[in-house]
Amino acid sequence: MNIGLLLLFLVFCQGSHASGLITNVTTRPDVLNIGSMFTFDSVIGKIAKLAITLAVEDVNSNPNILNGTKLSLKMHNTKSSDFLGIVEALQFMENDTVAIIGPQSSATAHVISHIANELQVPLLSFAATDPTLSPVQFPFFVRTTQSDLFQMTAVVDLVVHYQWRDVIAIYVDDDFGRNAIASLGDKLAEKRCKISYKVPLTPTATKDEIRKALISVSTMESRILILHIYTSWGLQVLEEAQEQKMMDSGYVWIATDWFSTILDTDPSLPLVQTNNIQGVLTLRMYTPDSQLKTEFKSRWSNLTRARRLLNNTSFGLNTYGLYAYDSVLLLAQAIESFFAIGWNISFSNDTNLRELSGGKLNLDALNIFNGGRQLLKSILEVNTTGLTGPIKFDADGNLLNPAFEVINVIGRGTRTIGYWSNSSGLNVLPPEKLQMKMQTNGSSAGTQKLYSVIWPGQTTEKPRGWVFPYNGRKLRIGVPHGVSYPEFVGIKGTDFSGYCIEVFQAALNELPYGVPYEYVPFGDGIKNPESNDLLHRVQIGEFDGVVGAITITTNRTKMVDFTQPYIESGLVVVAPIRKMDSSAWAFLRPFTPMMWGVTGVFFLVVGTVVWILERRTNEDFRGPPKRQFVTIVWFSFSTLFFSQKEQTGSTLGRFVVIIWLFVVLILNSSYTASLTSILTVEQLSSPVKGIESLVTGTEPIGYQRGTFAEAYLTDELNIHHSRLVALDSAEDYEKALKKGPSAGGVAAVIDKRAYMELFLSSRCGYSIVGQEFTKMGWGFAFARDSPLAIDMSTAILMLSENGNLQKIHDKWLMKSACSVEGAKQAVDRLHLKSFWGLFLLSGIACFLALLLYVLHMVRQYYRHADSDIECSQSTRRVKSFVSFVNKREQEVKSVKSSSKRRRTDRKSSNKKVHRQECSSDGLDES
């Protein structure tokens, strides 16, 4: 902006003064001045020059477009100079120009857009693709081609499609290159990818500068190269890449549309140049086929054929030429709309420049286009069809439905392997056909994204996308050299062995490529090194990776990238254990006291209920009170062994007994299983019950030096650091546990489960107590964003699926019987909460049986009681009912028969019924 304002005061030496403040032109003038500015001899410019000329001729020859008004076109050659571009823009403004087709350069567009804003003259650029040319900042800048924002989105979709993560960007170091690559970086970040290395080249890069830049690229890890440069020297980069052996297998070159522009402009490249571009992918702005486009191509071929005959020069038609033609067509239709609503062409002096009038610059010759805002509005509202397809702008000032072809250079020709559109991404179908198919078949439009590609090196196998940097150097893999558990990592001189080492080597063997590496021990072998120190060496580049028992934690993932865990190993507590003393009352252990009490009560309750239900009909439940009590107790507890001799005859009694026998069966089975476990399995006990008791206690706690356990215990569990004792080897663990807290040892040791299971495999006096209180795993560590971490994760999953991971585990970490036995915890006693449902079922059965029994007795009492006796008092009636219930069933039936005979006799003799009061039992007799 500063350059533009400065030049605004410096470039004019001559100018013509306006004759007044406002110059009015007729509503529809005969001639309108439009300008065009670009570099005539560039690959884009020479096509655009002819295309714009043809477009103006077509507009002027068609009276239906502007209804007789002619366009007067004046072209300026900027000669790739931003300075000349600014001067020429000011010259256009001096001559009452209503619009400018151009500029071609994004850098020039940034500067002269400030002039266009001031003088309100629309700029229609067919080649300035810088995505930062925003209509918010530059409202009079109208991009009539596709923004690089969409092109970079297409590049990112290509990278993601082939599952690459890192790319190297080679670009021209100006507004055109920097801003496009910035958009590329933003879009890559959205897909969790990144630009790992940027190579800016000056706009006038020399061959030597290009060579040095490519040499630096060849030492990088990534092999995905994004090339966004100028058409003027872009092929030199590929030529130099061929000399540096960077067009061989393993490399991927994705060139933006500058490359397809060269191919379209000069389809007959020399053989030497075509050999340098084999396997390159490039993008071309997609323009759908149409009758209008076909006719124009035929016309173009005739014109260029004539030129070739005249001056032996020929050039093809590129997409920028199509957009240049459509820019004129777009402008013409906007001007017609401008006139149609009644606007005039008029210019007025800029009051800001009037104050600077005088002197040699004659700045007051610059006029403001009074109808500029309305013409701009008409341009943005145009809805037509041109050579490039539908022409319509969205709310952000971009052409609708941006799309690109994906092209693969093969031999001396090219092949379209797919298309990209902003609405549907990558697909082998052109956007309009894909849209039609989706409308016909619903959402089913095919899943194939791209056709196969011939990559550099004439291979069809997708490149991995990265290599190990610094060719010839082996990866330095750090290995912790400590004193604990050689079964995991063992180092003897130059020999590295153990579970972790073998898993790492097996995973490397699963990779589809070779990995040169060497193990580097870290530590003195006397004490365990700090894992975080080892990972820090990876972070600073001293090591390329780490192999060992490295636990994956949140803080560590901020330092390095881990692979998929190859073993799960959280923290556990190990403490000394002792055998429980034998006891004469061991048979009581299966049930808790509450369980024993409730079971005993239910035995008595069920026995009592059955006695009530059976005593009227069953002689086994009758007799003296003492005998009946013994019968209740005997019947109740004899059901425990299903040996009761008393038979139940009533339906309700049998119902209660059946339910109770089912409960007894479950209780008996559970008791037997628990007692068997108690008597056959060695029971172990420890004063430490788990991590909870350690946290609340005050005893010292041991941990393995160098692991994350120390930070976890202090930071997460708030255990004071003074209670922690750092230990190194399994022998240190055993000594500290044997001493105990009172003799300078520890109450328990906290370490990873994998370590502790190995520790317990030969030490039966200790056991894991409580539960594993962290869920973590071990992984191999690599530098941040290393693609090897992803490939090794896939290899570990393959080892797990084919069973080789388990085989390696069994080879190094197979546990003995001692470990299994020592890890057992005491058998839980059986609690009432496990059986309350059974007791509830039995209780409900007893209650229902008693309720039905009482109702039956009441009904029978009123039906079968002696009808000659009535109760005069309620207490006597209750005594009578109790006496009735206490009778045998046969006695009730005989009383019933006697009463029936008496009633029959009374009816036959017609005797009067006299009421007689009974003083002994409270009954009145009639």
Side-chain angles (χ1 to χ4, degrees):
M1 179 176 180
N2 292 334
I3 295 177
L5 295 178
L6 176 63
L7 292 177
L8 186 63
F9 291 99
L10 298 179
V11 296
F12 263 44
C13 295
Q14 297 293 331
S16 60
H17 292 276
S19 58
L21 293 178
I22 298 178
T23 303
N24 291 323
V25 183
T26 58
T27 303
R28 187 177 291 277
D30 294 334
V31 177
L32 277 180
N33 294 328
I34 65 171
S36 182
M37 50 191 300
F38 48 87
T39 302
F40 289 174
D41 60 351
S42 66
V43 174
I44 295 176
K46 64 183 179 181
I47 305 298
K49 183 179 181 181
L50 179 57
I52 292 174
T53 302
L54 293 175
V56 172
E57 291 177 359
D58 291 346
V59 169
N60 290 337
S61 63
N62 188 348
N64 295 325
I65 297 179
L66 286 176
N67 292 320
T69 299
K70 304 294 184 183
L71 297 179
S72 177
L73 172 68
K74 187 170 184 179
M75 293 186 180
H76 283 318
N77 185 4
T78 60
K79 299 179 181 179
S80 301
S81 170
D82 295 335
F83 175 80
L84 288 180
I86 297 170
V87 174
E88 291 163 0
L90 292 172
Q91 289 178 343
F92 283 133
M93 308 303 180
E94 177 189 22
N95 296 321
D96 294 346
T97 302
V98 298
I100 298 175
I101 308 296
Q104 175 182 336
S105 166
S106 295
T108 304
H110 271 281
V111 178
I112 68 173
S113 289
H114 291 285
I115 303 174
N117 288 348
E118 178 68 22
L119 302 181
Q120 300 182 14
V121 176
L123 299 175
L124 285 76
S125 178
F126 58 88
T129 57
D130 179 1
T132 64
L133 288 166
S134 167
V136 176
Q137 183 180 8
F138 307 115
F140 282 87
F141 175 84
V142 180
R143 195 195 319 272
T144 57
T145 187
Q146 302 295 350
S147 169
D148 276 339
L149 175 66
F150 302 111
Q151 182 170 206
M152 293 306 163
T153 304
V155 171
V156 171
D157 283 353
L158 277 173
V159 172
V160 174
H161 172 71
Y162 290 111
Q163 299 177 344
W164 298 315
R165 291 184 59 191
D166 296 348
V167 304
I168 294 176
I170 305 174
Y171 59 97
V172 60
D173 193 14
D174 64 359
D175 291 340
F176 164 74
R178 284 192 302 267
N179 296 331
I181 296 304
S183 297
L184 174 66
D186 293 341
K187 293 297 180 180
L188 284 170
E190 292 176 6
K191 303 292 185 179
R192 301 186 68 180
C193 303
K194 68 182 181 68
I195 301 175
S196 59
Y197 188 58
K198 292 183 179 181
V199 185
L201 297 172
T202 62
T204 57
T206 64
K207 186 175 182 179
D208 187 56
E209 291 173 340
I210 295 173
R211 180 185 299 109
K212 291 180 180 178
L214 291 181
I215 291 175
S216 67
V217 169
S218 66
T219 63
M220 297 295 108
E221 187 176 84
S222 176
R223 285 294 183 263
I224 312 301
L225 310 178
I226 311 299
L227 200 56
H228 185 65
I229 50 180
Y230 287 145
T231 55
S232 56
W233 44 272
L235 291 179
Q236 296 181 29
V237 176
L238 297 177
E239 180 181 351
E240 186 61 36
Q242 177 71 24
E243 293 183 8
Q244 298 296 328
K245 307 299 181 183
M246 296 176 66
M247 298 297 295
D248 295 340
S249 297
Y251 282 91
V252 175
W253 289 86
I254 301 177
T256 52
D257 62 353
W258 67 268
F259 187 47
S260 62
T261 301
I262 293 177
L263 297 178
D264 293 337
T265 307
D266 190 4
S268 58
L269 290 174
L271 180 61
V272 175
Q273 288 180 312
T274 58
N275 289 335
N276 298 335
I277 61 178
Q278 295 300 303
V280 175
L281 292 181
T282 185
L283 298 176
R284 175 196 291 145
M285 288 182 286
Y286 174 70
T287 56
D289 293 331
S290 63
Q291 182 66 28
L292 187 64
K293 179 180 175 181
T294 302
E295 292 175 356
F296 185 80
K297 282 186 173 182
S298 176
R299 179 183 174 190
W300 184 275
S301 298
N302 295 333
L303 287 172
T304 55
R305 187 181 304 112
R307 284 172 176 262
R308 183 172 64 251
L309 294 176
L310 290 175
N311 52 23
N312 198 27
T313 60
S314 176
F315 43 81
L317 177 63
N318 58 46
T319 53
Y320 285 101
L322 299 177
Y323 279 107
Y325 183 96
D326 280 353
S327 298
V328 177
L329 180 65
L330 166 67
L331 177 61
Q333 295 199 11
I335 292 173
E336 175 59 26
S337 175
F338 175 86
F339 288 141
I341 59 178
W343 279 82
N344 298 327
I345 300 296
S346 64
F347 294 87
S348 61
N349 295 129
D350 190 344
T351 57
N352 295 327
L353 297 179
R354 196 182 309 157
E355 300 174 357
L356 302 175
S357 61
K360 298 182 179 181
L361 294 180
N362 294 322
L363 296 177
D364 54 348
L366 300 177
N367 296 323
I368 295 176
F369 177 25
N370 296 323
R373 293 191 181 277
Q374 182 57 41
L375 180 59
L376 174 66
K377 181 180 178 183
S378 298
I379 291 172
L380 296 176
E381 290 177 350
V382 167
N383 186 3
T384 186
T385 301
L387 300 180
T388 59
I391 302 174
K392 188 176 181 181
F393 295 94
D394 62 16
D396 296 327
N398 295 311
L399 290 174
L400 288 177
N401 304 319
F404 290 85
E405 292 181 66
V406 184
I407 299 170
N408 183 205
V409 179
I410 304 173
R412 300 200 64 181
T414 61
R415 174 173 176 255
T416 298
I417 62 170
Y419 302 85
W420 178 91
S421 68
N422 194 43
S423 58
S424 56
L426 295 171
N427 203 283
V428 294
L429 296 176
E432 70 277 6
K433 292 183 179 180
L434 178 62
Q435 187 66 25
M436 185 181 302
K437 187 173 182 180
M438 292 179 66
Q439 292 175 354
T440 303
N441 302 333
S443 60
S444 175
T447 58
Q448 186 175 4
K449 301 297 183 182
L450 295 172
Y451 291 118
S452 60
V453 178
I454 303 297
W455 303 100
Q458 300 295 315
T459 177
T460 57
E461 183 180 356
K462 185 198 77 172
R464 187 169 77 242
W466 63 276
V467 296
F468 299 106
Y470 310 111
N471 292 335
R473 184 181 74 82
K474 295 181 179 180
L475 293 182
R476 292 171 56 83
I477 305 299
V479 180
H481 187 198
V483 294
S484 62
Y485 305 107
E487 292 86 353
F488 290 97
V489 175
I491 302 178
K492 293 182 179 180
T494 59
D495 182 31
F496 295 81
S497 62
Y499 171 74
C500 299
I501 299 295
E502 188 163 339
V503 171
F504 179 75
Q505 293 173 344
L508 288 180
N509 293 335
E510 294 288 340
L511 298 180
Y513 50 87
V515 178
Y517 69 95
E518 60 179 349
Y519 292 124
V520 180
F522 179 77
D524 54 12
I526 300 175
K527 63 179 182 179
N528 294 327
E530 292 285 342
S531 296
N532 287 341
D533 290 345
L534 183 56
L535 296 177
H536 179 67
R537 302 300 176 96
V538 177
Q539 191 177 24
I540 63 177
E542 182 177 336
F543 293 141
D544 298 298
V546 170
V547 173
I550 307 298
T551 302
I552 303 172
T553 65
T554 303
N555 290 333
R556 290 175 179 178
T557 57
K558 299 175 183 178
M559 303 169 60
V560 296
D561 279 352
F562 284 96
T563 64
Q564 170 85 11
Y566 58 88
I567 187 173
E568 299 295 332
S569 183
L571 293 178
V572 294
V573 177
V574 171
I577 56 173
R578 59 181 177 83
K579 295 181 181 180
M580 295 179 64
D581 296 333
S582 299
S583 172
W585 302 99
F587 66 90
L588 294 177
R589 289 180 187 165
F591 289 166
T592 61
M594 178 62 73
M595 183 67 180
W596 279 118
V598 173
T599 301
V601 170
F602 261 83
F603 271 110
L604 296 177
V605 169
V606 170
T608 303
V609 171
V610 172
W611 173 78
I612 294 173
L613 299 175
E614 291 289 324
R615 66 181 307 274
R616 297 189 71 217
T617 59
N618 195 333
E619 292 296 330
D620 291 338
F621 292 90
R622 300 189 67 86
K626 181 178 180 180
R627 178 187 172 189
Q628 294 183 48
F629 176 76
V630 172
T631 300
I632 291 173
V633 175
W634 169 255
F635 178 84
S636 299
F637 288 97
S638 63
T639 57
L640 181 63
F641 310 101
F642 304 96
S643 60
Q644 66 278 9
K645 68 176 182 177
E646 293 80 7
Q647 299 296 321
T648 52
S650 66
T651 302
L652 292 177
R654 290 176 178 176
F655 170 71
V656 171
V657 171
I658 288 174
I659 297 298
W660 177 244
L661 289 179
F662 174 73
V663 175
V664 170
L665 176 64
I666 300 300
L667 293 175
N668 196 4
S669 301
S670 301
Y671 176 86
T672 303
S674 180
L675 183 61
T676 302
S677 177
I678 289 174
L679 297 179
T680 58
V681 178
E682 182 181 36
Q683 296 299 294
L684 308 174
S685 68
S686 171
V688 178
K689 302 303 180 184
I691 187 62
E692 295 82 4
S693 64
L694 286 178
V695 172
T696 57
T698 58
E699 299 86 357
I701 304 170
Y703 70 94
Q704 184 182 156
R705 189 192 310 274
T707 65
F708 78 102
E710 178 183 9
Y712 184 86
L713 294 175
T714 56
D715 298 341
E716 301 296 331
L717 300 182
N718 297 320
I719 297 176
H720 198 275
H721 195 274
S722 61
R723 293 179 56 196
L724 303 181
V725 179
L727 304 172
D728 287 303
S729 64
E731 290 73 18
D732 293 341
Y733 288 1
E734 189 172 15
K735 290 178 182 178
L737 290 171
K738 280 184 177 180
K739 289 182 179 179
S742 60
V746 296
V749 171
I750 293 178
D751 205 350
K752 307 164 190 174
R753 174 176 284 276
Y755 280 165
M756 291 295 90
E757 289 179 347
L758 197 61
F759 173 81
L760 297 172
S761 64
S762 58
R763 298 170 178 85
C764 299
Y766 310 95
S767 175
I768 296 175
V769 295
Q771 301 296 321
E772 184 176 4
F773 55 94
T774 62
K775 295 294 182 182
M776 297 180 177
W778 298 353
F780 302 125
F782 294 95
R784 292 298 302 271
D785 300 321
S786 172
L788 191 59
I790 298 177
D791 291 350
M792 287 292 284
S793 293
T794 303
I796 290 171
L797 290 175
M798 293 173 63
L799 289 175
S800 178
E801 291 172 0
N802 60 31
N804 288 336
L805 190 61
Q806 185 62 40
K807 292 178 181 178
I808 298 173
H809 179 276
D810 295 342
K811 173 183 175 182
W812 291 97
L813 308 178
M814 180 63 72
K815 297 175 291 184
S816 68
C818 180
S819 174
V820 176
E821 180 181 337
K824 288 185 178 294
Q825 302 300 306
V827 177
D828 289 335
R829 305 179 74 180
L830 300 177
H831 296 268
L832 179 61
K833 64 181 179 181
S834 302
F835 299 94
W836 70 267
L838 288 173
F839 288 122
L840 178 62
L841 178 64
S842 179
I844 291 174
C846 293
F847 175 77
L848 290 176
L850 286 176
L851 179 61
L852 293 175
Y853 179 76
V854 170
L855 293 176
H856 174 69
M857 287 295 99
V858 172
R859 178 175 175 272
Q860 192 180 48
Y861 170 72
Y862 282 104
R863 288 185 59 187
H864 304 300
D866 190 355
S867 59
D868 295 335
I869 302 175
E870 293 185 358
C871 297
S872 59
Q873 297 180 5
S874 59
T875 55
R876 292 179 180 178
R877 188 179 296 116
V878 172
K879 291 180 180 180
S880 176
F881 177 73
V882 172
S883 177
F884 172 79
V885 172
N886 194 39
K887 292 179 180 180
R888 292 183 175 88
E889 188 70 21
Q890 293 300 327
E891 294 177 4
V892 174
K893 290 182 179 180
S894 63
V895 171
K896 177 182 177 182
S897 299
S898 300
S899 299
K900 187 176 182 180
R901 284 196 302 270
R902 287 198 300 270
R903 285 195 300 270
T904 302
D905 293 342
R906 283 197 298 270
K907 287 180 182 180
S908 62
S909 61
N910 295 321
K911 293 182 179 180
K912 286 187 176 181
V913 178
H914 299 283
R915 181 179 298 273
Q916 181 179 353
E917 183 175 331
C918 300
S919 57
S920 59
D921 54 6
L923 294 174
D924 292 334
E925 182 176 356
S926 301

